[in-house]
Amino acid sequence: MLNPDLLEYKVPLACDMPDIETIIVSSIDPEGPFGAKEGGLTIRMNAYSAIACAVANATGTVFTELPLTPDRVLNILERKKGAKK
Amino acid sequence: MILPRFDYKKAEDIASAIALYEGFKGQARYLAGGTDLIPLLKLRLATPAAIIDLKGIEQLKTITREGGRLIVGAGVTLFELKNHAVVKEYFPALYESLDATSCETLQMRGTIGGNLLQNTRCLLYNKSLDWRKARGFCYKMGGESCNVVPKAKACFSNYCSDNALSLLSLSAGVKIAGPKGERKIKLEKIFSGDGKNPFTLKPGEILTEIHIPLKRLRGAYEKLRVRNSIDYPLLGVAVSVNNKKGKVCVGGIGPTPLAYDLEDLEGASVKELAQKARQEAKSVSNTTLSPAYRKKMVDVLTQRAIKRALKEGK
Ligand SMILES: Cc1cc2nc3c(=O)[nH]c(=O)nc-3n(C[C@H](O)[C@H](O)[C@H](O)COP(=O)(O)OP(=O)(O)OC[C@H]3O[C@@H](n4cnc5c(N)ncnc54)[C@H](O)[C@@H]3O)c2cc1C
C-alpha cells in the first residue's frame, strides 16, 4: 500500500470543509428501527456523485476517475481544448 | 511506531554541544524541535547512537538587529519568527511562507534552523523499515538505484522547506559553528544538490544564525498543496522585490531550491523567468499530484507570486 499514513492519505481537514447547510427531510423509513433513516453512506455516495456531475456539467466532459484532483481536472480540460482544435 | 534506543544529552551552549558530538564519534544527531528528526527515527531512517538536544541553548533563541541585518537564532520557533514585527513589515515573503508552513501547532514546536535542515522527502522514502524492506532499498537508503525513476543512480527527493525559499529570495546568509570553528556562508551554499545528502554542513556543525539584510521589500509566497493545512509544499515559489528588480526562488521539486534574478519588473521579463523556471524544474512521480501538473504549475505560481508581490505594498 502506498498510503499507510495519514500525511499522504489526503483526508480533508477542518479548513478544507465547505460550509454545510442542513436541510431536515422528515420521512419514515419502513426498514429502519422506529422509522429512522441511516445518514452515512447514502450521503457520502451521493455527495461525490453530485459534485462529479456538477463538474461534468460545467466542463462538458465526463470524468472516469475520482477524486477530482486539480491535475486530473486540468488534464481533461486540456484534452477537451485539444479535441476542439 | 516505537522509537529506537539512543542516548540523550542536553547541551547548555554551542561549544559543549560540539564537544558532545565529538564524544560520540559522529554517531550523534542534533535535536531542535524534533518535528523532522523524530519521525525519521521512528521510521529507522536515522539510527544515531545519541541525540544532542539544542533546545537548552539560549544563544540560539534570540532575534536581534545588528549591522543592517536581522539576526535570527537557529532555535527560534517558526511561530515566534512569524509574529516578529520586523518580519511582518520588512519581509512579506517570509511572513507568508512561515504562515503556510504546516499548521500553527507545528510552527510552535519547529525551529527555523530545523526547518532549513529538514531532510528531503519522497513518497517511497518516508516509510517504515518493513515497508522499505519489502520494496527494496532505494538510492537514498543506500540501495543500487532510485525506486521512482527506474535504474537512475541519483536521488530526486524533494526539499520541502517553505522558508528556505523566502529566505533565499531575501538573500539571507547563515552562520555555522563546528569542530573547526565558525564560518559564514550564503544560504544557497548549504545545499549540495544531491538528494542523498542534501546539505554541505560537515559532521558536528551547528547552524547558529540566519542573517537577513534589513531592507523593506515587497514579496509573496505561493504554495501548491492539496489541503489548506499541514501539507508539505508540492511546489513553492517565493518572490521578494524592491523598486527595480527582484529575486525568485522555486522549491519543493527536487533536492535543491532554484533561485532566479528578476532583472526588471516588466511583464515580458516575468513571463520569460516563469518559463525558464518551469523548464528547469525536474518533477518526478514521488509525491502527490502528477509530475506534469507540478511542472506546469511552476510557471503559473511564479507569475502569480510576482504579480501579487508587485501589487501589494504599492
Ligand atoms: C506533519 C508535518 C508537516 C510538515 N509540514 C511542513 C511544511 O508545510 N513546510 C515545511 O517547511 N516544513 C514542514 N514540516 C517539516 C519540519 O519538521 C518543520 O518545518 C520544522 O521547522 C523542523 O524544525 P525542528 O526544529 O522540529 O527540526 P528537527 O526535527 O529538530 O531537526 C531537523 C534536522 O535539522 C537538524 N538540526 C536542527 N537544528 C539544527 C542546528 N541548529 N544545527 C544543525 N543541525 C540542526 C537535526 O539534526 C535534523 O536533522 C512538516 C513536518 C511534519 C511532521
Side-chain angles (χ1 to χ4, degrees), chain B residues 51-67:
Chain B
I51 296 283
I52 299 162
D53 192 346
L54 305 177
K55 281 199 298 294
I57 305 178
E58 288 306 318
Q59 194 194 331
L60 294 179
K61 293 187 195 164
T62 55
I63 305 181
T64 49
R65 295 166 77 146
E66 199 186 294

Side-chain angles (χ1 to χ4, degrees), chain A residues 9-84:
Chain A
Y9 183 73
K10 304 288 182 186
V11 181
L13 302 165
C15 59
D16 302 311
M17 290 299 289
D19 288 337
I20 293 176
E21 194 188 335
T22 314
I23 304 170
I24 308 282
V25 183
S26 295
S27 69
I28 288 175
D29 187 340
E31 302 291 331
F34 306 109
K37 203 173 188 68
E38 58 76 38
L41 206 57
T42 328
I43 293 168
R44 251 182 49 194
M45 276 160 39
N46 294 323
Y48 65 63
S49 311
I51 291 167
C53 287
V55 179
N57 232 337
T59 57
T61 336
V62 179
F63 297 88
T64 52
E65 253 182 319
L66 286 172
L68 294 172
T69 51
D71 52 336
R72 286 181 182 157
V73 175
L74 185 66
N75 233 338
I76 290 192
L77 289 178
E78 283 180 344
R79 221 182 292 156
K80 199 186 160 207
K81 252 196 215 160
K84 252 192 202 161

Side-chain angles (χ1 to χ4, degrees), chain A residues 7, chain B residues 29-40 54 60 74-75 78 100-102 106 109-115 117-119 160-163 201 205-208 223 225 230-233:
Chain A
L7 183 62
Chain B
R29 288 287 288 264
Y30 292 123
L31 174 85
T35 58
D36 186 52
L37 185 62
I38 299 297
L40 292 175
L54 305 177
L60 294 179
L78 301 174
T101 303
S102 193
L106 185 130
R109 183 80 190 171
T111 63
I112 185 68
N115 187 265
L117 294 174
Q118 62 178 284
N119 203 351
C160 292
S161 164
D162 287 298
N163 307 300
L201 267 66
E205 281 192 323
I206 296 177
L207 179 68
T208 55
K223 172 168 176 172
R225 51 181 166 183
I230 302 182
D231 280 4
Y232 283 93

Side-chain angles (χ1 to χ4, degrees), chain B:
Chain B
M1 240 174 276
I2 298 166
L3 279 169
R5 259 182 197 287
F6 52 79
D7 258 356
Y8 171 87
K9 298 273 188 253
K10 194 161 184 174
E12 264 159 34
D13 53 46
I14 292 166
S16 63
I18 295 170
L20 280 168
Y21 186 94
E22 292 193 291
F24 286 102
K25 301 194 172 58
Q27 293 302 302
R29 288 287 288 264
Y30 292 123
L31 174 85
T35 58
D36 186 52
L37 185 62
I38 299 297
L40 292 175
L41 293 173
K42 289 189 171 181
L43 298 173
R44 306 301 190 267
L45 284 164
T47 48
I51 296 283
I52 299 162
D53 192 346
L54 305 177
K55 281 199 298 294
I57 305 178
E58 288 306 318
Q59 194 194 331
L60 294 179
K61 293 187 195 164
T62 55
I63 305 181
T64 49
R65 295 166 77 146
E66 199 186 294
R69 290 166 311 175
L70 188 72
I71 300 181
V72 182
V76 170
T77 65
L78 301 174
F79 194 70
E80 192 190 339
L81 189 58
K82 176 173 92 171
N83 290 308
H84 195 275
V86 171
V87 171
K88 260 189 189 156
E89 224 178 288
Y90 282 65
F91 315 130
L94 179 59
Y95 175 79
E96 288 186 9
S97 71
L98 287 163
D99 195 45
T101 303
S102 193
C103 52
E104 293 206 328
T105 324
L106 185 130
Q107 291 165 17
M108 290 177 195
R109 183 80 190 171
T111 63
I112 185 68
N115 187 265
L116 293 175
L117 294 174
Q118 62 178 284
N119 203 351
T120 55
R121 303 180 60 82
C122 171
L123 214 49
L124 304 189
Y125 178 76
N126 296 87
K127 289 279 184 271
S128 70
L129 181 60
D130 292 333
W131 193 100
R132 291 183 291 115
K133 269 190 189 156
R135 180 71 173 77
F137 282 3
C138 73
Y139 189 71
K140 189 169 163 80
M141 303 164 203
E144 279 275 299
S145 59
C146 177
N147 281 346
V148 175
V149 181
K151 296 204 182 103
K153 295 215 184 311
C155 175
F156 301 86
S157 55
N158 302 308
Y159 176 63
C160 292
S161 164
D162 287 298
N163 307 300
L165 310 182
S166 49
L167 285 170
L168 284 167
S169 80
L170 294 163
S171 310
V174 291
K175 198 159 147 190
I176 294 165
K180 294 202 176 108
E182 274 188 343
R183 57 190 182 116
K184 263 196 242 171
I185 52 172
K186 287 184 178 163
L187 177 57
E188 52 263 45
K189 298 280 183 224
I190 71 166
F191 303 106
S192 67
D194 174 9
K196 194 169 179 176
N197 260 316
F199 305 107
T200 57
L201 267 66
K202 308 226 163 58
E205 281 192 323
I206 296 177
L207 179 68
T208 55
E209 292 171 357
I210 295 123
H211 296 187
I212 318 169
L214 258 180
K215 279 186 232 143
R216 204 185 290 258
L217 297 175
R218 288 180 281 166
Y221 182 67
E222 286 287 336
K223 172 168 176 172
L224 181 67
R225 51 181 166 183
V226 295
R227 303 186 293 188
N228 286 317
S229 184
I230 302 182
D231 280 4
Y232 283 93
L234 299 166
L235 158 69
V237 182
V239 176
S240 291
V241 291
N242 60 23
N243 290 329
K244 289 195 206 101
K245 45 190 183 176
K247 231 173 163 183
V248 178
C249 192
V250 178
I253 297 183
T256 300
L258 297 174
Y260 301 90
D261 287 319
L262 186 58
E263 296 300 341
D264 62 67
L265 307 178
E266 303 299 322
S269 315
V270 171
K271 275 210 173 113
E272 200 180 303
L273 190 154
Q275 268 163 19
K276 185 171 175 217
R278 172 185 176 165
Q279 271 162 14
E280 290 181 358
K282 290 199 179 65
S283 49
V284 299
S285 42
N286 57 1
T287 183
T288 319
L289 297 184
S290 71
Y293 182 79
R294 283 166 72 224
K295 196 172 167 73
K296 222 174 270 174
M297 291 320 265
V298 173
D299 188 345
V300 176
L301 292 197
T302 302
Q303 294 203 45
R304 194 179 291 168
I306 298 174
K307 250 182 228 156
R308 213 153 54 70
L310 294 178
K311 210 185 305 163
E312 268 160 37
K314 232 190 183 161

